[in-house]
Amino acid sequence: MSRISTTSPDAPPRIFRSEEELARLPASERIRYRLVQADRRYHANDNIAAFMREGEVEELKTEVQAKLQEVLQALVIDTDSDHNTRETAKRVAKMYLDEVFRGRYVPMPAVTEFPNAERLNELMIVGPITVCSACSHHMCPIFGKVGIGILPNEHSNLIGLSKYARIADWVMSRPQIQEEAVIMLANELQQRVRPDGLGIVMEADHFCMHWRGVKDTETAMVNSVMRGAFLKDANLRREFLSLLPRKQRD
Ligand SMILES: [Zn+2]
């Protein structure tokens, strides 16, 4: 049974649903309901794992497959006779949920943090890390490289080198906008490592530039985020940029 809450005169009314009612809804509506109740944003590049229950990724896959089948029908593709497209809706749904947009539906990979016992305080460079994403405007692939510079202090937590790549992959495996992706990655690293300075440079090819529109095959997009000491100290920033692999500087 649904009822309208009117506890606060200013807040928009919320419809409360019982667990039974929720269970009858498609998984996407159930998850959306929890997000709205919690007043949480669910943009394309937001992670919503905290609002999902076991088995719901599989339910979403089934829903997405059915909708993609409708897209193929709307494109007037005969998926019954055309053996190439018979399983396409299923394949693409699996690819979205399990692979290319997985970073929306699973929690951040476990990362062990070590105290900075050696009190390292020299510039560290990690990368280039190869990243794949998709633009949220066209859902076209984005392929790129990320270089990370860290200036730790004695209170920083250090994380293993491979973990930078795991966290980057988790942030990028969502429909993204490059400018927002680098900021999200910087926020995650800032929170975990707590360095004095953090710099991130991402250079990427956007296939919506190559495949459609102007069909430009040369343009790559470069974005950077500089935090703390990297903002204040021009020499440090220059040192970081000069140590990035050649391709990321040109
Ligand atoms: Zn695009």
Side-chain angles (χ1 to χ4, degrees), residues 135 137-138 208:
C135 85
H137 295 150
H138 306 95
C208 49

Side-chain angles (χ1 to χ4, degrees), residues 1-199:
M1 198 171 78
S2 302
R3 68 190 164 83
I4 306 276
S5 155
T6 51
T7 42
S8 159
D10 301 323
R14 286 182 177 169
I15 296 166
F16 287 97
R17 292 201 164 96
S18 66
E19 281 301 315
E20 252 183 359
E21 272 179 301
L22 279 184
R24 281 198 297 271
L25 294 175
S28 63
E29 283 181 42
R30 214 180 298 143
I31 298 161
R32 192 169 12 255
Y33 171 82
R34 294 181 199 127
L35 287 158
V36 171
Q37 290 297 104
D39 227 349
R40 284 289 291 268
R41 205 181 84 157
Y42 53 102
H43 290 185
N45 56 6
D46 286 328
N47 178 279
I48 58 168
F51 298 88
M52 296 183 57
R53 309 280 180 268
E54 219 185 313
E56 287 182 342
V57 169
E58 289 308 311
E59 286 185 64
L60 288 183
K61 231 180 271 175
T62 310
E63 272 187 61
V64 172
Q65 179 183 338
K67 305 284 186 200
L68 284 168
Q69 185 59 38
E70 287 181 32
V71 171
L72 292 168
Q73 269 157 20
L75 290 169
V76 201
I77 292 173
D78 180 0
T79 57
D80 291 326
S81 319
D82 176 5
H83 59 276
N84 292 323
T85 55
R86 201 171 296 150
E87 300 276 313
T88 295
K90 188 177 181 182
R91 274 190 293 263
V92 176
K94 188 170 168 12
M95 177 181 81
Y96 281 173
L97 273 300
D98 288 347
E99 294 169 280
V100 297
F101 302 151
R102 187 169 183 271
R104 298 195 76 228
Y105 308 105
V106 297
M108 201 189 77
V111 173
T112 318
E113 294 158 13
F114 310 96
N116 186 2
E118 301 293 324
R119 303 189 170 209
L120 303 172
N121 61 357
E122 300 287 334
L123 174 63
M124 278 170 45
I125 308 269
V126 187
I129 299 169
T130 302
V131 290
C132 307
S133 193
C135 85
S136 36
H137 295 150
H138 306 95
M139 302 269 188
C140 279
I142 299 172
F143 287 117
K145 302 262 183 217
V146 169
I148 300 168
I150 302 257
L151 187 72
N153 64 36
E154 56 188 299
H155 306 295
S156 293
N157 292 317
L158 304 180
I159 60 177
L161 283 183
S162 65
K163 302 301 197 253
Y164 289 93
R166 294 248 185 100
I167 296 174
D169 180 62
W170 179 68
V171 168
M172 297 300 165
S173 302
R174 309 171 192 174
Q176 274 290 6
I177 295 297
Q178 188 170 328
E179 302 91 308
E180 295 179 14
V182 286
I183 291 168
M184 281 184 161
L185 179 58
N187 291 346
E188 293 296 338
L189 294 177
Q190 185 73 43
Q191 243 180 52
R192 251 143 220 103
V193 184
R194 287 184 283 124
D196 274 352
L198 173 68

